[in-house]
């Protein structure tokens, strides 16, 4: 359960960082934006790992002996990508108006990594549906909170959240391969 919570927190950092950026863009109505961000990001962060888990189950026969190493490689790659992106310019700087289409695009973009991370769910001793539900709930909460953090602090915390998420994913990957 601890590993799933750590995975959920790490995966939610992308959505948290984007939500901080969204919170800086809107002058009023942060409650509605926070709920919308939580809903969009939470749903996609719950669905994508499930898709990755199901896809991984289909591949299990081919890579059965290498599952730990594949999960390690995917988590390290995703974590490294998040660390790299934390040092780049923010996507939210280009946003002028927050629409449902934009929210859908951002939700998909931030959850693609979660699909690859879903492969690692095969190695955890937990119901994958419960794990994905937990990932979705944590992401909802972090995204909701992120909008208000962005309203209060501006963009300075955004890259630090993504950096932390990347480091945690790398650590989970290392733990999987040495366990």
């Amino acid at each position: 359960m601890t590993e799933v919570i750590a995975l959920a927190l790490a995966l939610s950092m992308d959505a948290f960082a984007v939500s901080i950026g969204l919170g800086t863009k809107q002058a009023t109505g942060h409650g509605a934006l926070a709920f919308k961000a939580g809903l969009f990001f939470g749903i996609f962060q719950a669905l994508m790992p499930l898709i990755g888990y199901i896809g991984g189950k289909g591949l299990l026969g081919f890579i059965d002996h290498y599952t730990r190493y594949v999960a390690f490689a995917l988590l390290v790659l995703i974590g490294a990508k998040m660390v790299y992106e934390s040092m780049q310019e923010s996507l939210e700087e280009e946003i002028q108006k927050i629409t449902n289409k934009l929210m859908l695009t951002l939700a998909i973009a931030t959850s693609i990594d979660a699909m690859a991370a879903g492969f690692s769910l095969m190695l955890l001793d937990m119901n994958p549906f419960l794990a994905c539900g937990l990932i979705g709930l944590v992401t909802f909460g972090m995204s909701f909170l992120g909008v208000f953090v962005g309203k209060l602090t501006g963009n300075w915390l955004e890259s630090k959240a993504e950096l932390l998420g990347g480091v945690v994913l790398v650590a989970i990957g290392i733990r999987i391969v040495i366990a």
Side-chain angles (χ1 to χ4, degrees), residues 29-30 35 50 52 61 78 102 111 128 136 161 169 172:
H30 285 86
F35 183 76
L50 188 59
I78 294 166
L102 173 70
S111 63
L169 285 177
I172 291 171

Side-chain angles (χ1 to χ4, degrees), residues 27-138:
T28 61
H30 285 86
L33 177 60
F35 183 76
K36 185 189 289 190
L39 201 59
F40 273 91
F41 294 135
I43 288 171
F44 277 89
Q45 286 283 16
L47 288 177
M48 291 298 201
L50 188 59
I51 293 169
Y53 171 80
I54 292 167
K57 279 293 199 187
L59 291 174
L60 191 58
F62 299 110
I63 59 169
D64 191 30
H65 299 298
Y66 307 103
T67 307
R68 295 170 70 185
Y69 302 106
V70 171
F72 162 76
L74 288 172
L75 290 173
V76 168
L77 286 172
I78 294 166
K81 178 180 167 274
M82 286 177 71
V83 169
Y84 174 76
E85 287 175 352
S86 75
M87 297 174 196
Q88 303 303 309
E89 279 192 33
S90 164
L91 167 70
E92 296 76 38
E93 290 175 12
E94 302 295 321
I95 295 173
Q96 300 299 320
K97 185 177 179 197
I98 302 169
T99 64
N100 286 340
K101 182 179 177 183
L102 173 70
M103 291 298 292
L104 179 64
T105 303
L106 290 172
I108 292 169
T110 58
S111 63
I112 295 294
D113 295 348
M115 187 183 328
F119 182 84
S120 67
L121 293 177
M122 291 187 302
L123 303 175
L124 302 178
D125 188 27
M126 186 172 189
N127 179 317
F129 296 101
L130 182 60
C132 291
L134 185 60
I135 290 168
L137 285 173
V138 168

